[in-house]
């Protein structure tokens, strides 16, 4: 598709969020005036980008998939990246969303024009205007490589887990892996048989629970296809069990020691070496950082050809890396599993609101929104996976579908009532955030004794949703027009 001159709704990004919203809008109105722009040449977002060995979802696919597009064909409880990528492509094709995407088109800037009540948008494929702008750009899409001194001098190969260099063979190499988060635990067990030696540089040990999953036999797939209610029941069961974990993290901390006991048992079973077990035992409450699920990560670290350095990594030399104790390790390749920039979404630098300020400047390192979706002073802008919508225990797809419902209802309200401007009232947004922060106060993310990417540069938790996910869904079920300043097409102020 070619970039139009004007569109009613412009969605930036064709990953889980963008496809989900467009499909929701098109299910109401197949002729909906919407366009998605996507910087890559295909849909899929993070599931297209992350191709590291062993890349899989650590939320059961029964839940980590759209409720409106169940698939009976998943091959495992926890699907691997190629399957999820294929699923997204197929949903985009079946729903017709892929015909609405302008590929190889990256947002350069979006400026709110208050006089004309529309967004003036520049992209790498040209300019356009849009009545409504949706940022569906994902929170975990921009890889973060810490600024290690000497990094530019390294003569070997180095890359981030999210931009895996498949051209480069690790066969026979000495490999350094920096970081021990959800990505590292998936790819390290996959590369150890190829590399000669792998050294993992850990700054903080993580709690690891066993991953209870299995291949889904053809019989189960047939059952799901023939009796869809059985798959729905599995989804509901998975949802319920995840909410129990969420309750432990947010409301019932006395449940957490039971999870810690399971993790300690798992560690004892997988790691025979006592000193290594000590290095791998966290000193914060389980759940404070994202809990990792793996059946082979800990066991892999106990192999003779795998080393764990628990003093982190402080600098890089032309031929190796220097750990926190000042010891240099000679390595051929460095793989950064150092995560992303969720509290500093790059798209926020490109969006300029009514006052002429960028969203990033407005947030000043500590993002806040109303219902994770709208921001006062940025009319007709909707965020997906915005501030305080992240989860430590369940599926982000559930949150994204809730937001899609809300945005779709907002757009319907605009059409029905002839509105051309919606701007959430500032006091409403402030009150909402005060309540969110109050609820977060006693959660494990704020009180668990760790430092995590859930806390932004100001030390405020601007990432996590603080309570049951069904409460988020209930809040976003209907667009609450009364909490917004609105303007009608004739430009006469309404409800100000
Ligand atoms: O990144 P992370 P990730 N020196 O930020 C370490 C999602 N995801 O790519 O803990 C040394 O979790 C850092 O150490 P510390 C999921 O939401 C989902 O693994 O900060 N080390 C940490 O160990 C996940 O949470 C799936 O002390 C440094 C690691 O790098 C998110 O993506 C799968 C360092 C970063 O861990 C990110 O996961 C994979 C430094 N200067 C990922 N800086 C699913 O299955 C950072 N580290 C859905």
């Amino acid at each position: 598709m070619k970039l139009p001159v004007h569109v009613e709704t412009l969605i930036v990004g064709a990953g889980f969020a963008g496809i989900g919203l467009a499909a929701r809008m098109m299910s109401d109105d197949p002729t909906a005036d919407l366009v998605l722009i996507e910087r890559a040449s295909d849909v899929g977002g993070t599931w297209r980008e992350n191709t590291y060995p062993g890349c899989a979802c650590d939320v059961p696919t029964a839940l980590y998939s759209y409720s409106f597009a169940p698939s009976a064909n998943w091959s495992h409880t926890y699907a691997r990246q190629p399957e999820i990528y294929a699923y997204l492509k197929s949903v985009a094709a079946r729903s017709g969303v892929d015909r609405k995407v302008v590929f190889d088109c990256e947002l350069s800037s979006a400026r709110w024009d208050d006089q004309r009540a529309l967004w003036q948008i520049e992209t790498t494929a040209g300019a356009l205007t849009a009545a409504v702008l949706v940022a569906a750009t994902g929170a975990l899409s921009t890889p973060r490589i810490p600024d290690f001194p000497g990094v530019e001098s390294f003569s070997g190969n180095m890359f981030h887990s999210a931009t895996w260099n498949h051209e480069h063979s690790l066969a026979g190499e000495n490999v350094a892996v920096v970081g021990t988060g959800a990505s590292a635990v998936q790819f390290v067990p996959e590369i150890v048989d190829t590399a000669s030696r792998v050294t993992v540089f850990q700054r903080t040990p993580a709690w690891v629970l066993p991953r209870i999953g299995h291949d889904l036999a053809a019989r189960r797939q047939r059952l799901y296809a023939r009796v869809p209610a059985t798959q729905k029941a599995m989804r509901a069961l998975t949802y319920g069990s995840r909410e129990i974990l969420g309750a432990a993290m947010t409301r019932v901390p006395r449940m957490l020691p039971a999870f810690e006991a399971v993790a300690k048992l798992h560690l004892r079973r997988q790691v025979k070496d006592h000193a290594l077990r000590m290095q791998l035992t966290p000193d914060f409450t389980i759940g404070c950082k994202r809990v990792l699920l793996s059946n082979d990560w800990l066991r892999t670290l106990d192999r003779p050809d795998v080393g764990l350095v628990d003093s982190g990594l402080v600098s890089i030399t032309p031929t190796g890396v220097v750990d926190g104790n000042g010891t240099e390790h000679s390595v051929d390749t460095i793989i950064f599993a150092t995560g992303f920039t969720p509290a500093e979404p790059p798209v926020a630098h490109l969006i300029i609101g009514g006052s002429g300020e960028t969203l990033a400047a407005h947030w000043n390192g500590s993002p806040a929104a109303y219902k994770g979706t709208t921001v006062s002073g940025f009319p007709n802008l909707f965020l997906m996976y915005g501030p305080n919508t992240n989860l430590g225990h369940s599926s982000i797809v559930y949150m994204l579908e809730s937001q899609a419902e809300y945005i779709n209802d907002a757009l319907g309200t605009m059409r029905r009532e002839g509105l051309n401007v919606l701007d959430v009232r500032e006091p409403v947004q402030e009150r909402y955030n005060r309540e969110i922060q109050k609820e977060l106060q006693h959660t494990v993310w704020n009180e668990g004794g760790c430092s995590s990417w859930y806390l932004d540069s100001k030390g405020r938790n601007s990432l996590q949703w603080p309570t049951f996910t069904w409460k988020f869904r209930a809040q976003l079920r209907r667009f609450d027009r009364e909490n917004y300043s609105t303007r009608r097409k004739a430009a006469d102020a309404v409800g100000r």
Side-chain angles (χ1 to χ4, degrees), residues 47 52 56-59 64 140 144 146 148 160-161 178-184 186 201-204 289-290 312-313 337-340 385 390 451 453-454:
W47 295 104
Y52 58 77
C57 188
D58 59 11
V59 176
Y64 196 90
L140 302 166
R144 188 182 78 88
F148 291 113
H160 190 278
S161 58
V178 192
T180 53
S183 300
Q186 292 187 337
F201 292 83
Q202 167 183 282
R203 192 165 64 177
T204 318
K289 279 173 176 294
R290 191 181 166 100
L313 188 148
T338 42
F340 303 88
Y385 203 173
N390 190 57
S451 89
W453 55 259
Y454 300 153

Side-chain angles (χ1 to χ4, degrees), residues 167-220:
E167 306 293 305
H168 176 72
S169 166
L170 300 174
E173 287 203 334
N174 254 345
V175 178
V177 173
V178 192
T180 53
S183 300
V185 302
Q186 292 187 337
F187 74 74
V188 169
E190 301 284 327
I191 63 169
V192 287
D193 286 332
T194 309
S196 163
R197 181 165 182 82
V198 175
T199 308
V200 175
F201 292 83
Q202 167 183 282
R203 192 165 64 177
T204 318
W207 286 104
V208 185
L209 287 172
R211 200 182 76 156
I212 303 163
H214 50 82
D215 288 338
L216 295 173
R219 218 161 36 141
R220 172 89 71 100

Side-chain angles (χ1 to χ4, degrees), residues 285-304:
T285 311
I286 193 168
C288 184
K289 279 173 176 294
R290 191 181 166 100
V291 179
L292 307 179
L293 299 185
S294 174
N295 297 336
D296 46 12
W297 160 251
L298 295 170
R299 180 184 296 139
T300 298
L301 295 174
D302 207 12
R303 283 169 55 133

Side-chain angles (χ1 to χ4, degrees), residues 152-325:
E152 67 297 330
S153 72
F154 186 61
S155 57
N157 260 283
M158 54 184 171
F159 50 87
H160 190 278
S161 58
T163 51
W164 195 272
N165 182 356
H166 291 279
E167 306 293 305
H168 176 72
S169 166
L170 300 174
E173 287 203 334
N174 254 345
V175 178
V177 173
V178 192
T180 53
S183 300
V185 302
Q186 292 187 337
F187 74 74
V188 169
E190 301 284 327
I191 63 169
V192 287
D193 286 332
T194 309
S196 163
R197 181 165 182 82
V198 175
T199 308
V200 175
F201 292 83
Q202 167 183 282
R203 192 165 64 177
T204 318
W207 286 104
V208 185
L209 287 172
R211 200 182 76 156
I212 303 163
H214 50 82
D215 288 338
L216 295 173
R219 218 161 36 141
R220 172 89 71 100
Q221 294 177 344
R222 277 199 301 275
L223 176 68
Y224 285 168
R226 280 184 200 149
V227 194
T230 53
Q231 193 173 19
K232 274 197 178 150
M234 179 53 76
R235 187 178 174 97
L237 202 67
T238 311
Y239 175 77
S241 62
R242 292 284 168 151
E243 287 303 289
I244 293 172
L245 181 57
M249 291 176 176
T250 55
R251 325 217 128 195
V252 201
R254 64 177 182 278
M255 287 165 69
L256 291 172
F259 290 100
E260 286 187 4
V262 175
K264 281 183 181 160
L265 183 65
H266 187 48
L267 177 60
R268 211 169 312 130
R269 284 211 173 134
Q270 296 228 325
V271 177
K272 299 291 161 239
D273 182 288
H274 176 75
L276 181 59
R277 276 210 303 272
M278 292 299 99
Q279 288 178 305
L280 289 168
T281 305
D283 63 358
F284 54 85
T285 311
I286 193 168
C288 184
K289 279 173 176 294
R290 191 181 166 100
V291 179
L292 307 179
L293 299 185
S294 174
N295 297 336
D296 46 12
W297 160 251
L298 295 170
R299 180 184 296 139
T300 298
L301 295 174
D302 207 12
R303 283 169 55 133
D305 54 354
V306 176
L308 180 78
V309 173
D310 68 349
S311 56
L313 188 148
V314 292
S315 62
I316 296 176
T317 68
T319 54
V321 297
V322 179
D323 69 26
N325 296 325

